[in-house]
Amino acid sequence: EHPFDPPAPLRDLAAQGPLHPLGFPDGHIGWVTTSRDLARAVLADQRFSARQDLRHLPFEHSLGEDPAAPMLPGMFLRLDPPDHTRYRRLLTAHFTVRRLNGLTPRIQQIADECLDAMERAGSPADLVQHFALPIPSLVICELLGVPYADRSEFQSTTETMVRLDTSKEEFMAAMNHLYGYFRRLVAAKRADPGDDLLSALVTGSDLTDEEVTGVGLVLLIAGHETTANMIALGTYALLRHPDQLAALRADPTLIDGAVEELLRYLSIIQFGAQRTALEDVELEGVTVRKGQTVVISIPMANRDPGQFDDPDTLDLTRQATGHVGFGHGVHQCLGQQLARIEMRVAYAALFRRFPGLRLAVPEEELAMRTDMAIYGVHRLPVAFDPA
């Protein structure tokens, strides 16, 4: 099994059917679904809740999240409608396709500057530190109005928050550190608003400063952890499939479809999404009882042979639309257009600048992020010839 593929036990389950009982580490008995259609059905069904205080987590460590801890204001990922709707509606206006497309030239500039710096640093270099992480990190900082110079304040902190072995104490310490940082930043925006999203929320909405702080936290973490890992892991996948990379080089118009296919094939939300039944719900002839948590396996849904022909093959020419890499339903990723633009720009710029890009270490030496909630590579040492 290759590091791009979902783990064997999940694949075995999927071969037996779309829905299976699942024992959770905390002793809860819930369910896991491996089909694309069922994934979409559960994620779109208001009888299933995203609330933190109701859910059980499918991995040993709680990601430090304490279901019993009070929810910080503004953390809209863990809310159901209508509470969720209020935040989502406010934010949607700032994440329109048109608005985000307008950022493309700036994203292009950031990618080129990262490549300049990488070239100056010399071959070999770690693609994560020089390229995959700084692009989305810089972009989300500029969008929110967070000083990029403060990135050391939040990059290591957010990494602690998505590490599976982080204790509750470490998680809360990281969360409090980040919350305090953002709270001060929001107060500064209130005193002196700029042309950025946090300022717009402070001056143009009815959100309290605490709520803006929570919203900002969610967007910052979601905005750089995910895309950074897609850029690095997608680059590794393309280097590992030279025929696909050659096709993309030969026809740059393939890039949009290539991004969708990489999102489908790699599915970095490796433990899926969780939803808890608010009442008894019939699924596939089975009753999911009120209070039971269903894990929606995003990686398996995106490898569903009923939905995608030859799903374990990376094929940049396929129509990969209909994947659930960004989720589905009311919680579908708010920043999905931004992620797509960042990936399109990053892959195109990288392979244009360094046609001879190659791994600088044997594959077995690459440390995969099996220890994180978001999959990827910890480091990606690459060699390249000066442009």
Side-chain angles (χ1 to χ4, degrees):
E1 120 184 356
H2 195 272
F4 300 140
D5 294 332
L10 259 179
R11 300 162 72 86
D12 294 343
L13 273 185
Q16 297 162 36
L19 187 66
H20 304 272
L22 180 69
F24 287 68
D26 65 0
H28 176 73
I29 303 295
W31 302 87
V32 57
T33 172
T34 55
S35 91
R36 204 289 312 248
D37 286 348
L38 211 45
R40 284 170 64 132
V42 172
L43 290 170
D45 192 329
Q46 304 275 308
R47 295 173 297 174
F48 287 97
S49 171
R51 273 168 46 197
Q52 179 172 309
D53 57 327
L54 299 179
R55 70 191 188 133
H56 300 265
L57 291 169
F59 30 83
E60 191 59 61
H61 297 282
S62 66
L63 264 185
E65 287 184 51
D66 185 352
M71 278 279 296
L72 290 170
M75 305 295 266
F76 61 95
L77 285 186
R78 302 272 175 262
L79 296 175
D80 295 337
D83 302 325
H84 170 263
T85 319
R86 175 171 159 253
Y87 293 104
R88 184 75 185 211
R89 198 170 283 146
L90 272 175
L91 290 168
T92 305
H94 296 277
F95 285 87
T96 60
V97 175
R98 203 171 125 245
R99 195 161 189 166
L100 295 174
N101 282 343
L103 296 176
T104 305
R106 175 64 185 132
I107 296 171
Q108 186 70 60
Q109 188 185 357
I110 289 170
D112 290 338
E113 284 166 5
C114 288
L115 290 170
D116 292 343
M118 187 163 127
E119 195 165 355
R120 284 195 299 273
S123 173
D126 174 20
L127 191 86
V128 174
Q129 285 308 317
H130 281 93
F131 188 71
L133 184 58
I135 293 174
S137 198
L138 248 163
V139 171
I140 197 69
C141 282
E142 290 188 2
L143 196 66
L144 289 173
V146 174
Y148 185 63
D150 294 348
R151 64 190 177 280
S152 57
E153 284 262 1
F154 56 79
Q155 275 177 0
S156 58
T157 313
T158 55
E159 190 158 289
T160 301
M161 291 167 75
V162 297
R163 228 182 41 233
L164 296 180
D165 59 358
T166 296
S167 68
K168 282 202 169 78
E169 293 70 32
E170 288 173 311
F171 182 91
M172 286 318 295
M175 176 63 115
N176 289 332
H177 174 84
L178 207 51
Y179 191 84
Y181 168 78
F182 254 88
R183 190 72 189 75
R184 293 189 294 277
L185 188 61
V186 168
K189 302 282 182 197
R190 182 156 304 277
D192 184 18
D195 180 23
D196 56 68
L197 181 51
L198 289 179
S199 296
L201 291 176
V202 164
T203 59
S205 76
D206 61 353
L207 299 185
T208 64
D209 284 8
E210 285 75 20
E211 287 178 301
V212 176
T213 299
V215 167
L217 271 177
V218 170
L219 295 178
L220 180 79
I221 297 169
H224 76 263
E225 268 292 334
T226 46
T227 315
N229 283 295
M230 270 309 303
I231 292 172
L233 193 62
T235 300
Y236 173 23
L238 290 168
L239 292 175
R240 185 75 173 40
H241 296 84
D243 57 323
Q244 296 298 304
L245 180 52
L248 184 57
R249 286 185 195 286
D251 181 4
T253 65
L254 282 180
I255 189 68
D256 289 10
V259 164
E260 295 310 307
E261 171 65 349
L262 286 165
L263 286 160
R264 179 200 74 80
Y265 181 70
L266 298 171
S267 301
I268 57 170
I269 310 297
Q270 62 174 334
F271 296 103
Q274 301 90 42
R275 295 289 186 269
T276 302
L278 294 171
E279 58 186 76
D280 288 3
V281 180
E282 285 284 317
L283 288 181
E284 294 286 322
V286 172
T287 302
V288 175
R289 297 272 171 220
K290 177 181 178 176
Q292 285 191 310
T293 291
V294 179
V295 173
I296 296 103
S297 174
I298 305 284
M300 288 315 304
N302 282 342
R303 298 283 187 105
D304 184 340
Q307 199 60 44
F308 306 102
D309 293 335
D310 199 7
D312 295 328
T313 300
L314 179 69
D315 174 6
L316 302 187
T317 62
R318 84 160 78 229
Q319 287 296 307
T321 48
H323 70 78
V324 285
F326 290 119
H328 187 64
V330 295
H331 283 279
Q332 191 174 31
C333 176
L334 179 70
Q336 58 180 304
Q337 267 329 103
L338 184 58
R340 286 184 171 106
I341 295 166
E342 289 172 341
M343 288 167 67
R344 282 172 203 155
V345 167
Y347 297 137
L350 177 66
F351 290 111
R352 192 167 54 235
R353 175 76 67 102
F354 301 127
L357 193 77
R358 54 204 177 271
L359 289 178
V361 295
E363 282 191 72
E364 51 276 13
E365 284 181 29
L366 291 176
M368 306 307 294
R369 289 172 46 118
T370 48
D371 56 339
M372 311 296 263
I374 297 164
Y375 193 57
V377 278
H378 281 291
R379 292 174 60 251
L380 190 68
V382 290
F384 49 89
D385 312 307

